[in-house]
């Protein structure tokens, strides 16, 4: 019993150190910062892919139409309607975060550093020419079914003009110029997953929003089509891609993938305006990369987190997002020293802002061998409420603060592009004013008794 008790104490001690290792989570920068952000969950292992798309559509539901190029004809069982709340969960878990520390009492006895401190829509029956296998304008309806509140058709086409005409004649609201965007996919002999809202089914369910659509398929191509989404875009688009894989970090192969600046110390006042800070910081990074880069905001093992912006997703939640391999016996959720999430699952969070000029091609991906955890993490350090008369170390500590605050101000200016003088004005902490004339010479007091 004594040995068991000792083991428990050790584990509790480690847990406490871990909480302090990466600071205390105080705020996050999730997708709510952006008014119109599209979110996609991409699950990939081998040639198996599951895509979940969260619609940010605003307007009359009868006008909604989604057209997605897919490599094969999808059967009804390959399409599913997912849960909106799972997007909120994975967004919260992977969001960039603010952590805070409090300076220790400089007069307190020095305690040996811990072990961890060194670790760095129209109803279907109104369609014309849509019978299975029918052909009109060079368009063939390969499959047709209803899933949840969506009417789905899978199309193949010989010419982009014919496909655009067919879509318009069958009640789909397609932006002008769609044929030019559709042409490259037809050349690659891809099929088209087309969805619109079945208003009758929507009313039966009493839903006031569109649930995410999911589809599963096999393909050698590890990619995400984004060109069609830009047809009706008004200004730059904001896209978050959460990629769930077994092993390594995911990056794009046809665009530069850049890790956001992280582990940067910034002024304490940012705690009250972290949302504004993060938007400004991301704007600045996009500007520096001329809107031609994909940014990595997070890569981590789904089994644990430190500090946690939200609990890791459960095995059931991951299954809901399409992570098919967590069902096998050797991949059950395991009780691990650092967490209880399902294994083996890695999550990469990518964020990009783009236009058709800066991202003319679809996103192509690869899973790398990189397993190093990464998170967009920003740090504030609260200064100790020092009493300069308490000990000689207190004065040394106070003397070090002005340069530290200045460095934090410069960091913030460099990250966001904000004028450093504006930042200095907002740092309200009183800097110790020590005039050279009043300073004691080094030898004064040397022989005092």
């Amino acid at each position: 019993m004594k040995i068991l008790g000792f083991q428990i104490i050790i584990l509790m001690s480690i847990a406490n150190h871990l909480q302090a290792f990466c600071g205390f989570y105080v705020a996050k920068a999730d997708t709510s910062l952006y008014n119109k952000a599209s979110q996609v969950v991409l699950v990939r292992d081998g040639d198996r892919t599951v895509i979940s798309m969260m619609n940010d559509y605003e307007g009359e539901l009868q006008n909604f139409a989604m057209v997605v190029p897919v490599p094969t004809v999808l059967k009804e069982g390959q399409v599913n309607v997912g849960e909106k709340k799972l997007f909120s969960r994975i967004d919260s878990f992977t969001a960039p975060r603010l952590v805070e520390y409090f300076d220790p009492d400089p007069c307190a006895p020095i305690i040996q550093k811990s072990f961890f401190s060194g670790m760095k829509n129209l109803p279907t029956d109104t369609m014309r020419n849509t019978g299975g296998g029918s052909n009109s304008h060079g368009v063939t309806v390969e499959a047709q079914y209803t899933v949840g509140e969506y009417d789905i058709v899978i199309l193949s086409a010989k010419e982009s003009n014919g496909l655009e005409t067919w879509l318009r004649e069958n009640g789909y609201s397609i932006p002008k110029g769609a044929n030019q965007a559709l042409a490259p996919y037809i050349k690659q002999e891809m099929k088209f997953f087309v969805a619109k809202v079945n208003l009758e089914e929507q009313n039966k369910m009493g839903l006031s929003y569109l649930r995410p659509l999911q589809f599963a398929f096999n393909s050698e191509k590890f990619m995400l089509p984004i060109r069609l989404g830009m047809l009706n875009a008004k200004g730059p688009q904001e896209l978050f891609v959460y990629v769930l894989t077994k092993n390594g970090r995911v990056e794009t192969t046809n665009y530069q993938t850049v890790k956001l600046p992280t582990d940067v110390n910034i002024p304490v006042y940012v705690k009250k305006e972290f949302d504004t800070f993060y938007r400004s910081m991301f704007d600045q990074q996009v500007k520096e990369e001329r809107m031609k880069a994909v940014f990595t905001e997070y890569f981590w093992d789904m089994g644990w987190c430190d500090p946690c912006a939200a609990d890791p997703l459960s095995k059931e939640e991951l299954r809901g997002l399409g992570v098919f391999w967590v069902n096998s016996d050797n991949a059950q959720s395991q009780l691990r020293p650092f967490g209880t999430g399902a294994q083996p699952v890695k999550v990469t969070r990518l964020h990009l802002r783009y236009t058709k000029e800066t991202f003319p091609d679809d996103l192509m991906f690869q899973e790398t061998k990189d397993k190093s955890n990464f998170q967009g993490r920003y740090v504030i350090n609260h200064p100790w409420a020092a009493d300069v008369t308490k000990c000689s170390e207190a004065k040394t500590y106070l003397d070090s603060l002005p340069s530290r605050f200045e460095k934090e101000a410069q960091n913030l200016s460099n990250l966001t592009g904000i004028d450093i003088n504006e930042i200095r004005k907002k740092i309200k902490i009183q800097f110790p004013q020590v005039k050279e004339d009043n300073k004691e010479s080094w030898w004064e007091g040397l022989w005092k008794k």
Side-chain angles (χ1 to χ4, degrees), residues 159-430:
E159 294 182 0
S160 57
N161 287 334
L163 178 56
E164 182 177 351
T165 301
W166 187 96
L167 289 167
R168 291 188 189 284
E169 288 184 355
N170 285 277
Y172 295 92
S173 299
I174 302 299
K176 292 181 180 178
N179 63 319
Q180 294 179 6
L182 294 167
Y185 301 110
I186 294 175
K187 187 178 293 185
Q188 297 175 59
E189 298 184 347
M190 295 184 76
K191 313 303 179 187
F192 296 89
F193 174 94
V194 183
K196 61 183 175 183
V197 179
N198 184 315
L199 295 176
E200 184 177 346
E201 292 297 323
Q202 175 84 1
N203 290 332
K204 283 181 185 175
M205 296 175 186
L207 297 172
S208 59
Y209 59 89
L210 293 177
R211 296 183 293 173
L213 270 167
Q214 302 177 288
F215 35 96
F217 54 87
N218 293 72
S219 175
E220 294 181 355
K221 292 182 178 178
F222 187 8
M223 56 92 72
L224 182 67
I226 61 172
R227 283 177 289 181
L228 292 181
M230 289 187 276
L231 287 176
N232 48 4
K234 298 177 181 176
Q237 301 294 292
E238 209 82 26
L239 174 63
F240 293 85
V241 185
Y242 314 95
V243 193
L244 296 161
T245 53
K246 277 185 179 177
N247 300 303
R249 180 178 57 81
V250 171
E251 63 185 19
T252 47
T253 59
N254 55 338
Y255 296 103
Q256 186 181 13
T257 305
V258 178
K259 290 182 179 177
L260 281 175
T262 187
D263 290 334
V264 183
N265 288 72
I266 52 180
V268 170
Y269 77 80
V270 174
K271 180 178 180 179
K272 294 183 178 178
E273 46 190 79
F274 184 62
D275 290 1
T276 303
F277 155 75
Y278 194 81
R279 280 195 294 264
S280 300
M281 191 276 293
F282 190 76
D283 290 347
Q284 182 67 14
Q285 306 310 311
V286 170
K287 180 180 177 182
E288 291 180 5
E289 299 293 340
R290 299 178 298 156
M291 204 185 292
K292 292 184 176 181
V294 177
F295 295 94
T296 302
E297 291 187 325
Y298 192 82
F299 171 68
W300 212 272
D301 186 321
M302 188 57 79
W304 65 291
C305 47
D306 183 24
C308 293
D311 290 336
L313 276 68
S314 68
K315 172 186 167 187
E316 290 71 25
E317 289 173 321
L318 290 168
R319 289 282 300 177
L321 289 172
V323 185
F324 48 89
W325 61 84
V326 296
N327 194 38
S328 60
D329 292 339
N330 60 359
Q332 295 290 325
S333 297
Q334 302 170 23
L335 182 60
R336 292 152 50 93
F338 304 127
T340 58
Q343 294 292 310
V345 184
K346 309 284 187 183
V347 56
T348 303
R349 176 185 174 117
L350 301 172
H351 183 182
L352 62 149
R353 184 176 296 163
Y354 65 100
T355 66
K356 59 183 178 183
E357 287 78 23
T358 60
F359 279 77
D361 298 317
D362 295 325
L363 299 176
M364 307 299 292
F365 301 103
Q366 67 177 1
E367 183 179 9
T368 70
K369 295 181 180 178
D370 181 13
K371 300 178 184 295
S372 303
N373 291 326
F374 173 84
Q375 58 181 317
R377 177 177 173 272
Y378 308 92
V379 184
I380 56 174
N381 274 284
H382 296 273
W384 177 62
D387 177 359
V388 73
T389 64
K390 189 175 179 180
C391 65
S392 59
E393 288 82 2
K395 185 174 184 308
T396 303
Y397 167 78
L398 287 174
D399 287 345
S400 72
L401 289 181
S403 60
R404 187 177 105 185
F405 296 156
E406 176 62 20
K407 177 61 177 172
E408 293 172 348
Q410 291 180 8
N411 288 344
L412 181 57
S413 179
N414 291 334
L415 285 175
T416 61
I418 298 174
D419 189 306
I420 193 166
N421 291 315
E422 295 298 318
I423 297 172
R424 287 168 177 152
K425 288 178 184 176
K426 299 184 74 169
I427 300 178
K428 297 179 181 178
I429 298 170
Q430 295 297 315

